[in-house]
Amino acid sequence: MSESNSNAACTADQNGAVPGEPVKTDKNSRRGNWGNQIEFILTSVGYAVGLGNVWRFPYLCYRNGGGAFMFPYFIMLVFCGIPLFFLELSFGQFASQGCLGVWRISPMFKGVGYGMMVVSTYIGIYYNVVICIAFYYFFSSMTNLLPWTYCNNPWNTPTCNGVVTPTGINNTLANVTRSLVTGAAEVAVEVVNKTKRTSPSEEYWKHYVLKISDDIGNFGEVRLPILGCLAVSWVVVFLCLIRGVKSSGKVVYFTATFPYVVLTILFIRGITLEGAVTGIKYYLTPQWHKILDAKVWGDAASQIFYSLGCAWGGLITMASYNKFHNNCYRDSIIISITNCATSVYAGFVIFSILGFMAHHLNVDVSEVADHGPGLAFVAYPEALTLLPISPLWSLLFFFMLILLGLGTQFCLLETLVTAIVDEIGTDWIIRNKTVVTGGVAIVGFLLGVPLTTQAGIYWLLLMDNYAASFSLVIISCIMCICIMYVYGHKKYFKDVEMMLGFPPPIFFRVCWRFVSPIIISFILIFTVIQYKPITYNDYVYPGWSLAIGFLMAMSSVTCIPIYALYKISKSEGTTFLERLKNSCKADIKWGPALSEHRIGHYAAPSSEGEVEVRPLKEELKEKEDEKRDEISLTIQGSNGSTAHNTTPSA
């Protein structure tokens, strides 16, 4: 008997189930589940860890006080990042629905789900264009000499000044087996005034890759090489999602882990370079006086919020394919901390190389530090030209960017496909989900074509700055208010307890109800106060383009009131208040997807007698639960368990 119990416990643990729960099949055969829990964690890590971890966080850290920035950053992680991450994972896992289906919890707020879909659409369009440019640079690195090394190319201008001379680089390539000190001695470094020079990598980026036009309205021609790479990007994404989470769950074993291999290789190479220590000091040296600056706290909160992918709909979607009793509390902590640790780690990789470049140029690190596309496609590639066997390091770097981008893109596309399939819900569309995936990929490709024109970079940055900025903050805030105050925090805490086997820890209960909404409101206010019209280098965007940017931002938010008014008008009731009340009530279909998990007030009555008796039983049970909750607050464990509960390890 004891042996069988032991085997059952082992099976429960392997399936990610809550210890103490009876072992069930727990599979949603109609909709599908992850093959195992590792697939979900790797997919979520790949989703959260994206390009921003490499090209945004290190720069923010450097500009906001170095090591001192880590303090507000981790404070925001604990009080906003992890709680919101846990909230979205538990929300999607409990209902086993995508970002539209979960709003059965309060149908009036389904517009929030549509807003998430709009945001994911915008991000999915331009994000794949960034990936396709990384593909282009990856293919361009398959050469003996990186094309952005010299200034003797047809696209270069008279103001171009390279960091190495042709003779010096040939010597370096001929002596790749020598030590760095010997190789560096043979490189003739052109020390020039940074303000007067145009780097060959910048001219390669502007005049060859983009052939950038002079205005956002001047589209010029479609850049066929970039268009071809965009097609490659979408084909790769489609093939990886051809069987939904069944296929993407296998791909992430590589796409979510190999970037860490590349980061480690680049880190080891970087810290062995001359000047690397100087670069890392710029990255980490604390400037404690900046902690009192509100902008530093605002940047920390914003970076945590955006880097974790909250309010995009992806977290809800990924969690919806979990088994019902999966410990998403543990997963949220693991994934959130992994994401932030990756950001910090990437900073060492970036600034060690930039420190090496600054040393050779004999300039301050601040002169070469950059972020966004400027770091990925100009500053870092130029620094790589100084290394022996530079094409190898370039291949590794851009391959890492491709994998980081694909991990996020998988989830963005799956979010849209899942929402469509769940909303229609017929057997035909579930069987033919691949057709939906292909259709969404084709539409995404066609919408991305304008971004491959000569004005494409202007539109890409416009979408990046407006499509997913303050609208995400508003969506997340309304989601918290809906779940905690419209549906009811007590109900939701009991739902989570029914799913996990233990109630949410008191820390998360307080954060969900009070702390996180306050921080989200702070981020929104900070975003509005700090707003500056977008520019690209010296180019100032015209007013009409900024108006389009605001329309993109508002298009996702306006889904919320428009759908709310529609739902109220369709709800039962003679007065507006009655209709409002009925539209906020949870739908009868709200709850666990599988009948075996629909217990308590979610259970369907089987007879008239049961209908009469159930309310009395539920009332007594609710009173008993309230007393238990009061007791649990006084004997709360560090991991959120209570004295009478079996607690899984977090």
Side-chain angles (χ1 to χ4, degrees):
M1 183 69 180
S2 60
E3 186 178 347
S4 63
N5 289 339
S6 174
N7 291 336
C10 290
T11 306
D13 185 59
Q14 289 170 358
N15 290 333
V18 178
E21 286 286 329
V23 180
K24 300 178 181 178
T25 306
D26 208 18
K27 287 185 179 179
N28 192 330
S29 56
R30 186 169 187 264
R31 193 170 180 273
N33 293 106
W34 296 106
N36 56 62
Q37 211 46 40
I38 297 295
E39 291 181 9
F40 166 68
I41 291 177
L42 289 178
T43 301
S44 299
V45 167
Y47 171 67
V49 177
L51 298 172
N53 297 71
V54 173
W55 74 18
R56 179 169 165 81
F57 172 81
Y59 184 82
L60 276 182
C61 188
Y62 152 70
R63 291 299 295 253
N64 286 298
F69 181 71
M70 301 290 184
F71 179 73
Y73 181 72
F74 285 109
I75 289 290
M76 292 300 174
L77 169 66
V78 171
F79 287 96
C80 184
I82 296 177
L84 287 177
F85 207 91
F86 181 28
L87 179 64
E88 290 201 33
L89 291 190
S90 60
F91 193 25
Q93 182 174 305
F94 183 78
S96 296
Q97 289 287 311
C99 63
L100 289 182
V102 290
W103 294 103
R104 292 170 181 169
I105 192 172
S106 184
M108 189 183 84
F109 289 89
K110 191 175 182 179
V112 175
Y114 284 111
M116 289 177 172
M117 284 187 69
V118 172
V119 168
S120 290
T121 301
Y122 286 140
I123 298 174
I125 292 168
Y126 79 77
Y127 212 81
N128 227 14
V129 174
V130 177
I131 296 171
C132 89
I133 296 174
F135 265 115
Y136 184 86
Y137 270 79
F138 177 75
F139 295 140
S140 299
S141 300
M142 295 178 179
T143 177
N144 291 329
L145 184 67
L146 294 176
W148 56 86
T149 304
Y150 304 143
C151 290
N152 58 355
N153 301 290
W155 58 83
N156 291 127
T157 65
T159 59
C160 178
N161 278 295
V163 294
V164 293
T165 62
T167 304
I169 192 69
N170 287 337
N171 285 340
T172 303
L173 288 169
N175 295 282
V176 293
T177 56
R178 297 186 184 182
S179 66
L180 175 66
V181 176
T182 305
E186 295 176 354
V187 176
V189 182
E190 297 279 351
V191 180
V192 293
N193 189 320
K194 179 72 177 177
T195 59
K196 294 180 181 178
R197 72 182 284 266
T198 305
S199 68
S201 61
E202 183 177 353
E203 294 202 347
Y204 179 78
W205 164 247
K206 285 184 176 180
H207 304 319
Y208 185 75
V209 177
L210 301 179
K211 287 191 177 178
I212 190 168
S213 65
D214 58 353
D215 185 71
I216 188 172
N218 182 13
F219 284 91
E221 64 181 16
V222 172
R223 296 288 295 119
L224 293 180
I226 298 178
L227 182 66
C229 289
L230 182 63
V232 170
S233 299
W234 276 110
V235 168
V236 169
V237 172
F238 169 71
L239 292 177
C240 292
L241 289 173
I242 196 165
R243 293 181 59 238
V245 295
K246 294 295 182 184
S247 55
S248 66
K250 303 298 181 288
V251 174
V252 293
Y253 280 104
F254 178 73
T255 59
T257 57
F258 195 72
Y260 290 96
V261 176
V262 178
L263 275 175
T264 303
I265 293 171
L266 292 173
F267 171 69
I268 294 170
R269 186 70 186 100
I271 60 173
T272 61
L273 298 172
E274 194 174 359
V277 174
T278 305
I280 292 172
K281 281 182 179 178
Y282 267 84
Y283 169 52
L284 289 180
T285 301
Q287 301 173 40
W288 294 110
H289 65 279
K290 288 197 174 183
I291 284 188
L292 301 176
D293 188 350
K295 184 179 185 303
V296 173
W297 288 84
D299 280 345
S302 300
Q303 177 62 14
I304 282 291
F305 184 84
Y306 295 125
S307 70
L308 287 174
C310 297
W312 292 14
L315 298 177
I316 293 173
T317 302
M318 295 304 106
S320 71
Y321 291 103
N322 278 333
K323 293 178 181 178
F324 184 73
H325 290 297
N326 170 63
N327 191 346
C328 58
Y329 167 60
R330 170 202 61 204
D331 295 343
S332 62
I333 294 175
I334 292 173
I335 297 164
S336 300
I337 292 177
T338 300
N339 173 70
C340 295
T342 304
S343 297
V344 175
Y345 187 36
F348 286 94
V349 176
I350 297 300
F351 273 88
S352 61
I353 298 288
L354 293 182
F356 165 67
M357 182 180 176
H359 172 77
H360 274 271
L361 288 174
N362 198 25
V363 297
D364 197 81
V365 176
S366 61
E367 295 292 316
V368 295
D370 204 347
H371 68 290
L375 171 69
F377 303 117
V378 178
Y380 206 84
E382 182 180 23
L384 293 176
T385 62
L386 291 165
L387 296 177
I389 332 177
S390 54
L392 171 63
W393 308 113
S394 183
L395 282 169
L396 285 172
F397 176 70
F398 288 111
F399 189 52
M400 178 187 72
L401 290 187
I402 290 167
L403 293 181
L404 287 174
L406 286 176
T408 302
Q409 189 68 16
F410 290 159
C411 296
L412 289 170
L413 184 60
E414 185 62 43
T415 297
L416 297 175
V417 172
T418 297
I420 294 169
V421 172
D422 284 350
E423 186 67 9
I424 298 174
T426 62
D427 290 334
W428 183 89
I429 201 165
I430 290 173
R431 286 195 309 268
N432 294 277
K433 187 178 178 181
T434 302
V435 176
V436 180
T437 305
V440 173
I442 291 170
V443 171
F445 169 75
L446 294 175
L447 292 175
V449 170
L451 302 185
T452 65
T453 63
Q454 290 177 268
I457 189 65
Y458 299 121
W459 290 99
L460 190 151
L461 294 173
L462 186 74
M463 294 180 74
D464 185 39
N465 278 269
Y466 289 93
S469 56
F470 68 87
S471 55
L472 286 177
V473 184
I474 295 172
I475 288 171
S476 188
C477 190
I478 293 176
M479 183 179 70
C480 280
I481 292 170
C482 172
I483 297 174
M484 291 296 110
Y485 297 101
V486 179
Y487 177 66
H489 63 277
K490 289 183 180 178
K491 289 183 186 176
Y492 192 73
F493 296 160
K494 287 175 182 175
D495 289 344
V496 173
E497 183 175 5
M498 184 176 86
M499 179 172 65
L500 299 183
F502 60 93
I506 188 171
F507 171 78
F508 286 90
R509 292 187 238 172
V510 173
C511 283
W512 287 347
R513 293 183 64 194
F514 308 111
V515 181
S516 295
I518 290 172
I519 293 176
I520 294 171
S521 302
F522 165 70
I523 297 173
L524 179 60
I525 294 169
F526 170 79
T527 304
V528 173
I529 292 174
Q530 292 290 324
Y531 170 75
K532 292 179 182 178
I534 181 178
T535 60
Y536 178 57
N537 294 334
D538 297 328
Y539 177 76
V540 178
Y541 279 67
W544 63 266
S545 65
L546 297 180
I548 292 176
F550 277 109
L551 286 175
M552 282 193 291
M554 294 305 298
S555 62
S556 56
V557 177
T558 50
C559 292
I560 302 171
I562 290 173
Y563 189 86
L565 292 173
Y566 165 77
K567 191 64 184 178
I568 291 171
S569 68
K570 294 293 183 180
S571 296
E572 295 179 355
T574 54
T575 65
F576 176 79
L577 287 178
E578 286 180 1
R579 289 172 179 266
L580 178 65
K581 187 177 179 181
N582 288 329
S583 66
C584 289
K585 284 182 180 177
D587 190 276
I588 193 171
K589 293 182 180 179
W590 163 251
L594 299 182
S595 57
E596 66 186 75
H597 300 136
R598 296 184 75 89
I599 57 176
H601 65 281
Y602 290 111
S606 58
S607 65
E608 279 188 30
E610 190 175 344
V611 174
E612 293 175 1
V613 175
R614 184 176 301 283
L616 180 60
K617 285 183 178 179
E618 286 186 5
E619 188 178 340
L620 292 172
K621 186 177 183 300
E622 284 180 8
K623 288 181 179 179
E624 186 181 336
D625 287 344
E626 285 177 9
K627 289 180 181 178
R628 189 179 67 186
D629 286 343
E630 290 175 7
I631 296 171
S632 71
L633 294 178
T634 61
I635 52 176
Q636 186 78 33
S638 61
N639 57 2
S641 65
T642 55
H644 55 271
N645 239 341
T646 305
T647 307
S649 61

